[in-house]
Amino acid sequence: MAESETRRRKRGPGGDSRPNDHLFDRELDHLPPEARWREWMHRVEATIFAASEPVSRETLSRIVGKSCSIDLLIDDIREELRGRPYDLVAVAGGFRHLTRPAYADAIRSAFGTAVGGSGRAKDLTQSEVLVLMCIAYFQPITRAELSSFFGKEVSRDLIGHLRGAGLIASGPRSPTPGAPYTYVTTKEFLLEFGLDTLRDLPDFEALEDAGLLSKEKLLAGDIMPGFSNDEDEDAGSVPDE
């Protein structure tokens, strides 16, 4: 009896002997190639539209045939979205729908923040933005190393604010004496700034050529006179983790 019940549970609806997770037809072999591709496009776009987070290639591969190129499929979807006020973009290791920058002001007027980011970055001080930038480019990096870059103490409170915003996290221990924690950027950082990976950060040399950043001044602690004037060390701050 128990064996019979086990066999019955393994069968899908209507007595199908395939496991339930195999009932979904990914391959669509019964459709002509053009219709099959169109259905895969619809599945991928619907899945990304329904998701609250970027959808990875691995996830999308579960709903299309084995021979389907996710990148080519995304390219075709993006081509169809040309001229629409939103696009399908690669961000934080996956894909998501984002409105186009041209409509940021309209969205901000409607909701108070531009869709596609949480708005956390706009609440950062100039000092916090500079520290976040340094962490992004030089991670993993310790607070002491950050302080040496700027020539002034980078406070625990400043680091705590960036951590609280979810933009940075503790990285591996540094091999330096005392083995302090290093800091690294997070997936939330990628989402906030619309980056797929850290490789999408602007090239450091390009920033230097544009006069927006000087590595020499950064390393000499001369990038921003007056940095950290309002970021004095607080005796009651939470210590580095």
Side-chain angles (χ1 to χ4, degrees):
M1 178 70 176
E3 183 179 355
S4 176
E5 178 67 11
T6 299
R7 285 199 302 269
R8 185 186 67 79
R9 289 179 179 177
K10 287 184 178 180
R11 295 176 182 272
D16 193 330
S17 61
R18 295 175 298 173
N20 288 335
D21 59 352
H22 289 170
L23 294 179
F24 180 72
D25 185 3
R26 301 190 325 179
E27 301 299 333
L28 301 176
D29 290 333
H30 63 287
L31 295 178
E34 185 174 343
R36 182 186 311 134
W37 190 259
R38 172 64 56 179
E39 177 61 20
W40 285 340
M41 287 174 61
H42 288 170
R43 288 179 178 184
V44 164
E45 189 170 7
T47 299
I48 294 173
F49 184 85
S52 59
E53 296 288 337
V55 183
S56 67
R57 284 179 174 79
E58 180 183 3
T59 297
L60 295 177
S61 67
R62 301 172 191 161
I63 58 174
V64 299
K66 293 180 180 179
S67 64
C68 177
S69 167
I70 297 296
D71 288 329
L72 291 179
L73 206 65
I74 293 292
D75 286 344
D76 281 356
I77 294 173
R78 295 194 67 192
E79 183 62 31
E80 291 201 344
L81 293 178
R82 190 182 297 274
R84 302 295 295 171
Y86 55 90
D87 195 6
L88 198 58
V89 299
V91 61
F95 298 97
R96 74 183 313 182
H97 285 98
L98 288 179
T99 51
R100 297 186 188 276
Y103 299 94
D105 288 343
I107 295 168
R108 190 176 294 110
S109 296
F111 301 111
T113 183
V115 174
S118 67
R120 285 170 291 198
K122 73 175 185 178
D123 295 328
L124 300 179
T125 66
Q126 189 173 12
S127 296
E128 289 167 341
V129 169
L130 285 170
V131 170
L132 180 60
M133 176 191 69
C134 288
I135 294 173
Y137 278 100
F138 299 113
Q139 62 188 299
I141 187 171
T142 67
R143 188 168 67 91
E145 289 170 332
L146 287 167
S147 297
S148 70
F149 278 173
F150 293 103
K152 294 187 178 181
E153 188 76 12
V154 173
S155 74
R156 294 186 177 95
D157 282 346
L158 188 153
I159 293 295
H161 190 199
L162 294 177
R163 284 173 60 93
L167 299 172
I168 66 170
S170 295
R173 294 274 191 172
S174 170
T176 57
Y181 276 107
T182 59
Y183 295 101
V184 296
T185 53
T186 63
K187 180 180 178 180
E188 293 303 316
F189 169 83
L190 297 175
L191 287 170
E192 187 67 27
F193 292 95
L195 304 173
D196 187 19
T197 71
L198 291 172
R199 291 190 296 273
D200 295 325
L201 284 167
D203 182 77
F204 206 96
E205 292 183 359
L207 293 178
E208 288 187 293
D209 292 342
L212 299 176
L213 188 64
S214 169
K215 188 174 184 180
E216 290 183 2
K217 288 184 178 181
L218 181 62
L219 294 175
D222 191 32
I223 188 172
M224 180 179 165
F227 172 81
S228 195
N229 282 351
D230 59 345
E231 304 289 351
D232 293 334
E233 195 73 33
D234 183 351
S237 301
V238 178
D240 288 349
E241 295 180 354

